Amino acid sequence: MSDWGDFAALEDDDDDLIIDSMEYAEENDSQEKKAQVGALLEPPEIEMNAEPMFVPQGSVLELDVDNVLGVLAACREEIGTLFGYSAENRGVGITGGVDFVELDGPTVVLRLKGRFWHQRPTVLARVGAYLQGRIPEIIDVVVEDEWQLTDEANNLAD
């Protein structure tokens, strides 16, 4: 038989773990319930915002920062179910956002932040296709840091 007389609490670093204790809505909950829960969370901050430029796919816009910002702003709205900009999406735990970082020649560099429902490479591919479908001079759409495409980045997101 075991003697527990010398049993003591361990000194470890688990006390500083951050646990997401937010109660999110369920996928099948009403839009109102999702919005109510999502209203408790801040939307992703947009670092370089512009007026959305809603142009159809197949348009031929010139490749410049203003056009990329405008088309990216429209992308956030048109394929908005990918992002946490709406209260309904935040309500089910989608807090992700996308930001413009820079133009590197014909390559658009973006930043992914927050938590996405879809895999991050899928989100980047969808945003890239949206941009390239309207600004055909764009050769590639990449993230500033490849780590942003990992499941780890998604799991550690706020």
Side-chain angles (χ1 to χ4, degrees):
M1 187 155 188
S2 197
D3 179 16
W4 292 89
D6 62 346
F7 183 78
L10 294 175
E11 297 295 324
D12 59 20
D13 294 332
D14 287 347
D15 293 339
D16 53 342
L17 286 177
I18 298 172
I19 298 174
D20 184 359
S21 61
M22 175 73 185
E23 293 287 329
Y24 295 103
E26 299 292 325
E27 183 179 1
N28 294 324
D29 285 343
S30 70
Q31 293 299 96
E32 292 80 18
K33 167 85 174 170
K34 292 175 188 174
Q36 182 181 24
V37 172
L40 301 173
L41 299 168
E42 291 294 318
E45 183 180 335
I46 300 172
E47 294 175 17
M48 295 178 68
N49 203 3
E51 193 66 35
M53 294 177 63
F54 295 102
V55 295
Q57 184 169 352
S59 298
V60 182
L61 296 175
E62 181 181 330
L63 176 58
D64 63 32
V65 171
D66 290 336
N67 285 343
V68 172
L69 288 173
V71 173
L72 183 59
C75 174
R76 288 183 189 112
E77 291 185 31
E78 284 198 36
I79 59 174
T81 57
L82 294 178
F83 308 112
Y85 299 111
S86 75
E88 292 87 358
N89 290 356
R90 292 191 308 277
V92 293
I94 302 170
T95 61
V98 60
D99 280 316
F100 174 78
V101 175
E102 68 177 342
L103 269 182
D104 184 10
T107 299
V108 175
V109 182
L110 300 175
R111 176 179 302 122
L112 296 180
K113 59 190 179 185
R115 187 179 306 125
F116 295 93
W117 190 309
H118 297 84
Q119 289 187 333
R120 286 168 167 248
T122 301
V123 173
L124 181 64
R126 297 268 312 270
V127 172
Y130 189 96
L131 293 172
Q132 289 173 308
R134 289 148 181 85
I135 308 173
E137 289 179 72
I138 296 173
I139 299 299
D140 202 6
V141 178
V142 300
V143 288
E144 64 180 341
D145 181 349
E146 288 293 318
W147 182 81
Q148 294 173 12
L149 296 177
T150 66
D151 288 338
E152 181 181 13
N154 205 51
N155 295 337
L156 293 175
D158 302 355

